[in-house]
């Protein structure tokens, strides 16, 4: 059964049982506690927590997931992958284990045709009810194993929904490992499907079992995940996901470039490297297509690490030329039919991975030179652990390369020292990440509590700048407070708000809130959790309390300036893609009053001519005054109509579409002008690089653009006045003046050099002999010598001495004594020693290395 059939069989089966399909979420989750989407349930977390009500109580999806927690096992086993497609079912306060378990059994044994006697089951110790359901289906007791929290209690790895689980495993036979079931060997008894009975809330803690279960969720829910790749491997009779139809073309290309066939699952280092390169190429393609770019931190670092591991293992296979772009191209060819974002991002994916491969090759070359230098200077037969760690940490040089090179030079490496430094670094990173997640989780929990008790904020600010409502709650220091007094700064939640909460790159609104007893300045507005607007306010006068009636008034002038920038951003996006190509897609933005910042994917510097063309296109289009139309639609219909979904943004089932004439159609929740001419003019300040394959354009809009233009005009007028020419002739006159100045400086440098040579000759002629077997010495005070020329004068004089000697010169510069010494190398005496005593006399110190100080 091909992978397409595996997917369709799953979706058909659960569609017949009332499940509604939802599209896969992005690999970039809308959850501050997660780096990457690691499970099918991530996008449904608000439903499990009771923060939002789903449109349907039974859902299903084919979700893209990335997990790197087991990255060291990828390639070394036949079952671990960094990317996988999770076939998932989800139920919210609907059915539970007595339905989920039989359906899983029926699908695997009926529709997929897996042999019943090769299926094993694990359940959580003490979960008698789940075991009884399995026994009722005919699963014998000897093929049901009870395991602990680490194996059969599931969570996302961070505080949130969790619950006991039951897993289905398939016995691949004795060739894969010993008897004894999943508890003994996970390679032979490979996990296929995890059925999670999501009924509890997880607290803080480390690892798979180092956390507390805090209490029940608002309802009992189902979350199941069936790994497409593992099931396809079994149904297709192959050992690894790399050999299934989805990855086989990529896997074959790796073998072709390596010049050798796959030696089988037990093929040692060669087989491991082939599987790693294949796996990481697929993961990289999906990450880049979802907007992740290589960087030194966060998810960008995950991508960089995967790409560098792939390059490293390709080189171990003897593949020296560029490879990754061709491999990811095969990924797009094989999976683009099901995942259209791969096709849309084909060019970007290829260019990103090729650039990173080239960059890492340079790193390897640089690291090799540094390693050779370290080996040459090592003593005692051991390369220090700190040296190995610095190569690894600063230059990304793999430790196994360091070990190989040291071994070839007859050295050992202090691996224990390296390990201690690496562990210390990991611990620091872990503690920092834990602190970040802990703070984020605590704040999210606070906001979720407010949402559960008081409901969502009614946002009415798309078409108005004032609204009456009620103070729902006040938050200060991580908790709710009943009142806030004059002079205090707190967070405030309104039942009804006209203030736009920061999202989609657009900054939050400011303004004023007035209650019967207080006046408050709104300093910022942002989303606490989905549906909850949180306003940061300063109490200007009086006292405000929870439950007070309130009127919110947005700073309308600031809002209008933001709207101009936001509409201009959409048109700028469209024109950048028109001029630079479709790959110049948005990767981030910042929309502020009168100015904007726009990040986009592009691999070459944006020339001045290209930038000028973009600016002209933007302003010409806005001047034509296109209508700005806003409407709502189902997400699927919006995307079918060509609406652009932006990187890193999360969209619900209903979306807001913003059309600006026929040039731009984007999914957007922000505020906009009514007509294009209201957004202009736009002045592009320049373009810069902000990362690998990432460019940034900054611009001014509306009156801010005009004020900037007036300022530049005033500068040009002043410059023209200084040059005594009309403004249009100022650049040419300035070029003439600069050319004349450069020529004068060259002549002056020549004269200075001649003067130094003449002075050096006179000084050399005045040399005295130090006596004994010493050589000639020049010791003199010189005048009118620029400080920067004193060193040159000393070395010139030394070179003119008839034999090896020494030169010491002194001068006064800005009231300070300056000394320089130059000593012939034959003496072997550092010049610094010659100056040390004299430097102390004049209240200074001596610096420099070797023959000059």
């Amino acid at each position: 059964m091909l992978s397409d059939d595996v997917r369709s069989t799953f979706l058909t089966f659960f569609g017949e049982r009332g499940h509604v399909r939802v599209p896969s979420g992005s690999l970039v989750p809308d959850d501050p506690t997660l780096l990457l989407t690691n499970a099918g349930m991530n996008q449904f977390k608000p439903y499990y927590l009771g923060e939002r009500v789903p449109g349907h109580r039974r859902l299903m999806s084919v979700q893209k997931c990335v997990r790197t927690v087991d990255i060291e096992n990828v390639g070394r086993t036949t079952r671990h992958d960094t990317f996988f497609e999770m076939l998932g079912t989800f139920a919210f306060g609907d059915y539970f284990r007595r339905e989920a378990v039989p359906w899983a059994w029926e699908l695997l044994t009926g529709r997929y045709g897996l042999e019943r006697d090769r299926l094993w089951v694990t359940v959580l110790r003490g979960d008698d009810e789940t075991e009884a359901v399995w026994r009722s289906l005919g699963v014998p007791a000897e093929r049901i194993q009870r395991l602990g929290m680490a194996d059969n209690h599931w969570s996302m790895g961070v505080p949130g929904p969790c619950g006991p689980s039951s897993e289905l495993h398939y016995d691949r036979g004795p060739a894969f490992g010993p008897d004894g079931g999943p508890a003994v060997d996970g390679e032979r008894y490979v996990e296929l499907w995890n059925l999670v009975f999501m009924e509890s809330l997880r607290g803080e803690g480390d690892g798979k079992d180092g956390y507390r279960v805090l209490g029940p969720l608002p309802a009992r829910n189902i979350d199941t995940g069936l790994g497409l790749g593992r099931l396809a491997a079994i149904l297709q009779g192959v050992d690894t996901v790399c050999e299934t139809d989805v990855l086989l073309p990529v896997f074959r290309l790796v073998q072709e470039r390596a010049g050798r066939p796959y030696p089988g699952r037990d093929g040692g280092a060669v087989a491991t490297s082939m599987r790693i390169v294949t796996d990481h190429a697929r993961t990289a393609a999906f990450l880049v297509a979802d907007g992740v770019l290589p960087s030194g931190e966060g998810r960008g670092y995950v991508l960089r690490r995967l790409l560098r591991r792939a390059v490293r293992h390709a080189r171990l296979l003897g593949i020296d030329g560029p490879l990754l772009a061709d491999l990811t191209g095969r990924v797009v060819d094989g999976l683009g039919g099901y995942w259209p974002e791969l096709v849309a991002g084909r060019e970007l994916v290829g260019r990103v991975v090729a650039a990173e491969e080239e960059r890492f090759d340079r790193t390897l070359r640089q690291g090799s030179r540094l390693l050779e230098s370290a080996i040459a200077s090592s003593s005692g037969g051991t390369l220090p652990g700190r040296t190995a760690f610095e190569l690894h940490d600063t230059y990304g040089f793999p430790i196994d390369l360091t070990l190989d090179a040291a071994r070839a030079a007859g050295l050992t490496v202090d691996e224990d020292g390296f390990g201690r430094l690496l562990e210390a670094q990991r611990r620091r990173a872990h503690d920092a990440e834990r602190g970040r997640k802990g703070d984020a989780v605590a704040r999210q929990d606070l906001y979720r509590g407010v949402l559960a008790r008081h409901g969502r904020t009614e946002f009415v600010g798309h078409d108005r700048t004032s609204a009456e409502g009620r103070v729902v709650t006040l938050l200060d220091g991580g908790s709710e407070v009943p009142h806030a007094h004059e002079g205090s700064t707190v967070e405030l939640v309104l039942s009804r708000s006209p203030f736009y909460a920061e999202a989609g790159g657009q900054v939050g609104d400011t303004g004023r809130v007035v209650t019967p007893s207080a006046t408050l300045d709104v300093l910022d507005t942002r989303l606490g959790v989905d549906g909850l607007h949180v306003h940061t306010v300063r109490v200007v006068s009086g006292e405000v309390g929870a439950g007070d009636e309130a009127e919110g008034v947005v700073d309308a002038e600031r809002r209008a300036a933001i709207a101009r920038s936001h509409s201009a951003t959409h048109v700028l996006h469209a024109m950048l893609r028109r001029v630079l190509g479709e790959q110049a897609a948005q990767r981030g933005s910042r929309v502020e009053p009168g100015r904007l910042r726009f990040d986009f994917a592009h691999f070459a510097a944006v020339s001045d001519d290209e930038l000028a063309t973009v600016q002209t296109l933007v302003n010409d289009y806005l001047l034509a005054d296109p209508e700005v139309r806003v409407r709502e639609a189902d997400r699927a219909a919006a995307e079918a109509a060509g609406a652009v979904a932006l990187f890193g943004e999360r969209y619900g089932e209903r979306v807001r579409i913003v059309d600006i004439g026929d040039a731009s159609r984007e999914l957007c929740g922000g505020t906009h002008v009514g007509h294009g001419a209201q957004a202009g003019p736009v002045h592009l300040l320049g373009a810069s690089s902000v990362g690998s394959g990432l460019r940034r354009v900054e611009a001014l809009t509306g009156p801010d653009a005009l004020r900037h233009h007036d300022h530049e005009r005033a500068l040009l007028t002043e410059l023209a006045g200084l040059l005594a020419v009309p403004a249009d002739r100022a650049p040419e006159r300035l070029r003439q003046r600069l050319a004349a100045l450069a020529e004068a400086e060259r002549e002056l440098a020549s004269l200075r050099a001649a003067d130094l040579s003449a002075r050096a000759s006179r000084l050399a002629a005045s040399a005295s002999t130090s006596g004994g077997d010493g050589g000639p010495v020049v010791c003199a005070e010189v005048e009118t010598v620029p400080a920067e020329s004193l060193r040159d004068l000393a070395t010139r004089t030394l070179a003119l001495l008839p034999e090896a000697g020494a030169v010491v010169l002194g001068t006064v510069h800005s009231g300070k004594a300056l000394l320089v010494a130059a000593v012939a190398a034959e003496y072997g005496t550092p010049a610094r020693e010659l100056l040390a005593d004299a430097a102390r006399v004049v209240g200074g110190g001596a610096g420099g290395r070797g023959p000059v100080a």
Side-chain angles (χ1 to χ4, degrees):
M1 184 181 284
L2 296 179
S3 297
D4 282 345
D5 299 320
V6 175
R7 293 190 199 94
S8 62
T9 298
F10 179 90
L11 296 171
T12 298
F13 180 88
F14 282 103
E16 293 167 353
R17 286 152 184 78
H19 293 72
V20 175
R21 183 184 176 187
V22 295
S24 170
S26 169
L27 287 171
V28 179
D30 183 24
D31 186 331
T33 67
L34 289 176
L35 199 61
L36 293 165
T37 298
N38 63 8
M41 59 76 61
N42 289 170
Q43 64 173 312
F44 307 120
K45 183 177 174 181
Y47 301 156
Y48 289 119
L49 293 172
E51 297 171 0
R52 295 171 59 190
V53 177
H56 303 278
R57 299 181 71 179
R58 298 183 181 186
L59 300 177
M60 59 183 177
S61 71
V62 181
Q63 173 65 50
K64 301 174 291 188
C65 298
V66 169
R67 291 183 193 170
T68 57
V69 65
D70 295 321
I71 192 171
E72 298 304 327
N73 290 324
V74 173
R76 306 186 190 284
T77 73
T78 61
R79 70 186 193 277
H80 283 95
D81 304 290
T82 53
F83 173 90
F84 54 93
E85 296 180 51
M86 187 65 83
L87 309 175
T89 60
F90 315 92
F92 312 100
D94 189 16
Y95 65 84
F96 209 49
R97 56 170 55 87
R98 292 192 175 275
E99 293 81 14
V101 168
W103 285 343
W105 185 255
E106 180 183 353
L107 178 57
L108 287 183
T109 61
R111 301 287 177 93
Y112 290 128
L114 297 185
E115 305 95 314
R116 292 169 176 255
D117 59 359
R118 298 184 74 167
L119 289 171
W120 288 63
V121 171
T122 62
V123 297
L124 184 66
R125 290 192 188 102
D127 190 355
D128 298 333
E129 184 179 356
T130 300
E131 181 173 355
V133 178
W134 286 116
R135 292 293 300 277
S136 72
L137 296 172
V139 181
E142 60 269 21
R143 291 212 308 275
I144 301 176
Q145 295 185 327
R146 294 189 175 214
L147 301 177
M149 290 275 290
D151 296 288
N152 281 103
H153 198 276
W154 192 90
S155 76
M156 294 191 302
V158 294
C162 67
S165 69
S166 183
E167 296 175 344
L168 277 154
H169 301 255
Y170 182 82
D171 180 3
R172 297 198 286 177
F176 286 86
D179 294 336
V184 173
D185 190 271
E187 186 75 354
R188 171 175 172 174
Y189 300 91
V190 64
E191 177 196 340
L192 289 181
W193 204 342
N194 191 13
L195 314 175
V196 183
F197 313 119
M198 200 78 79
E199 57 186 3
S200 305
L201 186 65
R202 169 193 163 144
E204 292 281 2
D206 292 331
K208 294 183 177 181
D209 56 355
Y211 59 87
R212 292 188 303 118
V213 177
L214 301 180
L217 292 173
R220 299 198 308 175
N221 312 286
I222 285 293
D223 161 33
T224 83
L226 172 62
L228 168 68
R230 291 182 180 180
L231 179 57
I234 290 169
L235 294 176
Q236 294 173 23
V238 296
D239 294 339
T240 69
V241 175
C242 292
E243 298 166 273
T244 63
D245 62 305
V246 292
L247 277 181
L248 188 58
V250 185
F251 200 41
R252 283 176 173 163
L253 182 57
V254 173
Q255 297 168 54
E256 178 185 319
R257 293 292 180 84
R260 62 180 107 178
Y262 177 56
R265 70 170 185 271
D266 298 323
V270 170
T272 296
S273 291
M274 285 182 173
R275 293 194 292 261
I276 288 174
V277 174
T278 302
D279 169 86
H280 289 7
R282 175 175 61 166
T283 307
F286 274 94
L287 284 171
V288 177
D290 269 12
V292 180
L293 295 173
S295 70
E297 59 185 14
R299 56 183 66 98
Y301 177 72
V302 173
L303 173 59
R304 173 162 287 170
R305 185 184 180 198
L306 289 168
L307 289 170
R308 292 189 168 191
R309 284 187 97 234
V311 174
R312 165 69 180 133
H313 283 275
R315 302 303 177 255
L316 289 176
L317 291 169
I319 306 172
D320 293 325
L323 175 68
L324 293 184
D326 291 339
L327 292 182
T328 54
R330 288 278 179 99
V331 173
V332 175
D333 292 339
L335 286 161
Y338 193 82
W339 299 103
E341 60 267 37
L342 288 176
V343 178
R346 177 191 290 271
E347 182 179 359
L348 178 64
V349 170
R351 297 182 72 170
V352 167
V353 301
E356 191 65 21
E357 181 173 14
E358 180 182 355
R359 183 176 291 106
F360 187 49
D361 273 335
R362 290 198 301 270
T363 295
L364 288 176
R365 289 193 294 271
Q366 183 181 15
S368 295
R369 290 194 296 270
L370 292 169
L371 178 57
E372 289 168 4
S373 175
I375 288 173
S377 61
S378 289
S379 59
T382 300
L383 191 71
R386 179 164 294 280
T387 300
F389 176 75
E390 288 175 354
L391 284 165
H392 161 83
D393 186 53
T394 305
Y395 300 99
F397 200 75
I399 182 61
D400 49 351
L401 270 184
T402 301
L403 291 169
D404 290 345
R407 193 177 299 116
L411 299 175
T412 60
V413 176
D414 178 12
E415 293 186 65
D416 290 340
F418 171 82
R420 286 192 297 271
L421 291 167
L422 186 62
E423 180 57 33
Q425 183 199 54
R426 286 174 174 167
R427 176 53 56 186
R428 288 193 298 271
H430 173 79
D431 291 345
E433 181 68 7
R434 184 177 180 182
R436 183 189 68 80
K437 287 184 176 180
D439 292 344
V441 168
R443 188 161 289 277
Q444 292 280 301
D445 287 345
L446 174 64
Y447 294 147
R448 287 192 183 101
V450 172
L451 184 65
R453 288 188 296 276
H454 303 291
R456 298 164 65 87
T457 304
E458 181 187 357
F459 174 60
V460 295
H462 275 134
D463 52 7
R464 56 193 301 181
T465 56
S466 65
E468 294 180 348
R470 177 176 51 84
V471 177
V472 168
T473 189
L474 297 162
L475 307 172
D476 187 20
S479 61
E480 293 188 70
V481 295
H483 301 93
H485 304 279
E486 182 175 324
S488 59
T489 299
V490 296
E491 292 181 334
L492 174 144
V493 177
L494 295 171
S495 61
R496 194 163 181 254
S497 175
F499 295 93
Y500 181 83
E502 180 171 342
Q506 179 175 327
V507 297
D509 277 335
T510 62
R512 179 156 286 200
V513 170
V514 179
T515 73
S517 58
T519 300
L520 304 89
D521 280 345
V522 178
L523 308 177
D524 190 21
T525 309
R526 54 192 174 78
L527 288 173
V529 291
D530 189 34
L532 190 74
H533 287 221
V534 178
H535 312 79
T536 301
V537 299
R538 182 176 58 244
V539 184
V540 177
S541 63
E543 177 183 284
V544 60
D548 289 354
E549 296 300 316
E551 180 184 21
V553 181
V554 174
D555 182 337
E557 184 176 343
R558 181 176 181 273
R559 161 75 75 82
I562 294 171
R564 284 192 292 269
S565 294
H566 206 154
S567 297
T569 300
H570 283 219
V571 176
L572 173 63
H573 187 192
M575 298 312 168
L576 280 168
R577 296 175 76 175
R578 184 178 296 181
V579 173
L580 302 178
E582 289 300 310
Q583 84 285 347
Q586 178 174 339
R587 287 294 179 267
S589 67
R590 179 78 172 172
V591 178
E592 299 177 324
R595 67 183 301 124
L596 64 91
R597 186 184 72 210
F598 188 81
D599 296 344
F600 58 98
H602 193 57
F603 281 85
V606 181
S607 70
D608 291 342
D609 287 345
E610 288 172 327
L611 205 62
T613 300
V614 170
Q615 178 171 291
T616 298
L617 289 173
V618 169
N619 283 308
D620 285 351
Y621 193 78
L622 292 175
L623 187 60
D625 202 25
E627 183 182 0
V628 179
R629 301 181 302 278
V630 180
R631 66 186 190 281
E632 288 192 352
D634 292 333
R635 180 177 175 181
E639 291 180 346
V644 176
L646 301 182
F647 165 67
E649 294 303 312
R650 180 176 176 178
Y651 303 98
E653 295 176 11
R654 295 285 294 177
V655 294
R656 193 165 174 266
I657 305 172
V658 176
D659 287 336
I660 302 182
D662 59 1
S664 172
R665 171 172 293 169
E666 295 187 10
L667 305 184
C668 180
T671 59
H672 289 270
V673 298
H675 286 266
Q678 296 170 338
V682 174
H683 178 77
L684 302 187
L685 295 171
S688 61
S689 172
V690 289
S692 176
L694 195 63
R695 300 282 160 179
R696 171 173 293 170
V697 166
E698 297 186 68
L700 300 174
T701 62
D704 289 87
L706 292 173
R707 282 190 286 270
H708 182 80
H709 174 79
D710 290 343
H711 176 66
E712 289 193 329
R713 181 71 193 182
L715 290 176
L716 177 60
T717 300
E718 182 181 358
L719 179 62
L722 292 172
L723 294 170
V725 293
D728 60 350
R729 292 180 53 196
E732 179 57 32
R733 177 57 61 88
L734 182 58
R735 278 192 289 271
Q736 293 171 359
R737 293 283 180 89
L738 290 174
L741 179 60
E743 179 60 28
E745 287 178 342
R746 283 192 294 271
E747 292 178 2
L748 181 59
S750 178
L751 290 172
R752 283 175 176 168
D755 179 58
L756 283 179
S757 295
R759 298 182 74 166
S761 296
R762 291 195 295 271
L763 286 168
S766 69
S768 62
T769 303
S770 61
D773 57 358
V777 171
V778 174
C779 183
E781 178 177 353
V782 293
E783 297 178 353
T784 64
V785 177
E788 63 273 12
S789 299
L790 192 62
R791 176 190 179 103
D792 189 15
L793 179 58
T795 55
R796 285 173 183 257
T797 302
L798 182 67
L800 293 174
L801 294 178
E803 55 183 301
V807 176
V808 179
L809 302 177
T811 191
V812 177
H813 181 73
S814 300
K816 294 182 180 180
L818 298 180
L819 303 174
V820 65
V823 182
E826 289 88 333
Y827 288 107
T829 301
R832 189 171 62 83
E833 293 183 10
L834 201 62
L835 285 188
D837 290 343
R840 282 192 290 271
V841 171
V842 297
R849 293 181 179 180
V852 181

